[in-house]
Amino acid sequence: YHHHPENLKIYLKKKFWMGYWRVFLYKDFKEKFMRHSYTPKTVYFRIALTGLTLLIFLLNLFRLFPFIFFLISFFVLFLTTLNFSVKTFMKDKIVGLLSPIIIILRDFVSGCGIVFGLLNLILKKK
């Protein structure tokens, strides 16, 4: 068991910084990339899918992608949250219903942290 902050804002801020610093950890310890036990492989997939879904949505605003691509991508993203959400729903109905939103937000801010970490790493090299 482990504890998460009770405040969503604090939780998401923590996830952002974990994503940010993960970039530097993997830079120094390449053998740890996707080979540690505390992050399920599905999280990496969901972070990438969340970014892709957002990109498709933004491109749709400029009419560069049909809206159906966004809907399909978001539906697949939502489906990836269901395993956890169903288990959570059995313990706490409200948290179970809210968990897809929380999971998607968590993966989005983690992805933002990774992107900012990568940008920082690239800019420091120059």
Side-chain angles (χ1 to χ4, degrees), residues 15-16 19-20 23 47-48 50-51 104-118:
K15 290 299 182 178
F16 173 88
Y20 178 86
V23 170
I47 289 171
T50 301
I104 292 169
L105 282 172
R106 178 200 66 195
D107 294 339
F108 172 73
V109 298
S110 293
C112 288
I114 291 168
V115 167
F116 279 98
L118 287 169

Side-chain angles (χ1 to χ4, degrees), residues 8 11-20 22 39-54 76-82 84-85 99-115:
L8 182 61
Y11 175 69
L12 295 176
K13 185 177 179 179
K14 177 180 177 181
K15 290 299 182 178
F16 173 88
W17 288 111
M18 288 175 73
Y20 178 86
R22 183 174 290 204
T39 303
K41 304 300 180 260
T42 56
V43 171
Y44 294 108
F45 173 74
R46 256 196 330 268
I47 289 171
L49 185 57
T50 301
L52 178 64
T53 302
L54 178 62
V76 171
L77 178 61
F78 177 77
L79 287 178
T80 65
T81 69
L82 289 184
F84 178 82
S85 298
S99 64
I101 297 166
I102 295 168
I103 291 168
I104 292 169
L105 282 172
R106 178 200 66 195
D107 294 339
F108 172 73
V109 298
S110 293
C112 288
I114 291 168
V115 167

